[in-house]
Amino acid sequence: MMPMTTESPLDDVEFLARSEHRVAVLEALAEGPRSRADLQDLTEASRSTIGRVLGAFEERRWITKDEYEYEVTPLGAFVASGMRELIERIETERKLRDVWQWLPSEASGFSIEMGSEAVVTDAEADDPYRPVNRFLSLLRETDRFRFVGFDVALLEPCKNELRRRILNGMHTEIIDPPNVAKYILSTYPDHCSPPLESDNLTVWLHDDLPSYGVSLFDERIGISCYNPANGTVQVLIDTDTAEAREWAEWTYETYRQEARPLALETPVE
């Protein structure tokens, strides 16, 4: 059988993308040989649909048949891998489509790929505290918490839980702008005194912090993005991927090395 020829690579991309069954069949065969019955069970497609898909794949030399089973060729495996990568990229793009403008820039070392497995919690008109509530759920599950950023809109609504967790033993480091530290200390002096007097809280000051916040929990990292137009946290993105963790650790340590400790005996400038 002569291989099928198409006018451009986009024709083959369109051929695959027009049907979820085609992608599912090719991915299934990339995992190992399958019979027609196996493919019907996996995709829930009709016998005739599976037959048409397999015929088109054979014409393209993406699969071969060995008695009752079909298996992918190196060409087919190559296409399946590329299609899966494309789908994953589009899935990530769709997840971040409505919030990308709030994210750290690529100049900071952040990449869109870091959001591929992230939980994205966006503030909504009828539930503006969704990001804050997600942050609280993560805070309650960690024994060590570190934060850097200009994000009083995240930490202030959580001050009671943060205080409770610190006094219960959660080791906490926070890098704040001087004006934020001054605001918190002057607005909630009695609230702040016990945590600051404990051995569990260290506050650092930095004059040039990013407009977003970076939180490091035991298992996950979070990026909180502040909306200056309404004074709320617009989105919280949290993930446990190694790449995002490495970026968050590097970001925190970079600012930590440049920060100065909060001196309680002297006024915050």
Side-chain angles (χ1 to χ4, degrees), residues 77-165:
F78 181 75
V79 171
S81 174
M83 196 65 184
R84 171 42 50 192
E85 181 179 354
L86 176 60
I87 291 171
E88 289 174 353
R89 281 179 171 268
I90 297 300
E91 287 174 345
T92 300
E93 184 276 333
R94 288 170 62 90
K95 183 185 297 184
L96 301 178
R97 182 179 296 175
D98 295 331
V99 302
W100 71 268
Q101 68 270 33
W102 307 104
L103 300 179
S105 68
E106 290 187 355
S108 73
F110 180 82
S111 67
I112 293 297
E113 286 82 359
M114 292 181 192
S116 61
E117 299 179 26
V119 175
V120 178
T121 309
D122 195 12
E124 298 177 353
D126 60 347
D127 192 0
Y129 281 96
R130 288 183 73 241
V132 171
N133 290 333
R134 173 64 181 174
F135 172 81
L136 277 172
S137 71
L138 297 171
L139 191 67
R140 291 172 180 139
E141 297 175 356
T142 193
D143 293 321
R144 185 188 185 195
F145 172 65
R146 288 169 289 166
F147 177 86
V148 57
F150 188 87
D151 217 345
V152 66
L154 178 68
L155 297 186
E156 187 175 18
C158 304
K159 64 183 183 299
N160 291 332
E161 183 65 18
L162 186 61
R163 180 183 190 272
R164 186 186 70 81
R165 297 285 290 116

Side-chain angles (χ1 to χ4, degrees), residues 251-269:
T251 299
Y252 181 86
E253 288 303 323
T254 297
Y255 286 103
R256 165 64 185 83
Q257 291 172 14
E258 299 171 349
R260 61 190 185 276
L262 171 68
L264 293 179
E265 67 275 13
T266 59
V268 179
E269 300 178 356

Side-chain angles (χ1 to χ4, degrees), residues 40-89:
Q40 280 185 256
D41 291 339
L42 285 169
T43 63
E44 298 184 351
S46 67
R47 179 180 177 83
S48 60
T49 296
I50 294 298
R52 288 194 297 271
V53 170
L54 293 173
F57 284 178
E58 284 186 289
E59 290 180 359
R60 286 171 169 79
R61 302 288 177 87
W62 292 351
I63 63 171
T64 59
K65 184 179 181 181
D66 181 15
E67 295 186 358
Y68 298 106
E69 290 189 325
Y70 295 83
E71 58 183 329
V72 75
T73 66
L75 291 176
F78 181 75
V79 171
S81 174
M83 196 65 184
R84 171 42 50 192
E85 181 179 354
L86 176 60
I87 291 171
E88 289 174 353
R89 281 179 171 268

Side-chain angles (χ1 to χ4, degrees), residues 209-248:
L209 293 179
S211 58
Y212 51 87
V214 178
S215 299
L216 292 98
F217 307 96
D218 289 348
E219 304 295 336
R220 304 181 73 82
I221 67 98
I223 304 169
S224 48
C225 303
Y226 174 74
N227 184 349
N230 57 22
T232 64
V233 179
Q234 183 63 37
V235 63
L236 177 72
I237 297 175
D238 62 273
T239 180
D240 62 357
T241 63
E243 182 184 12
R245 185 80 190 190
E246 182 179 356
W247 171 81

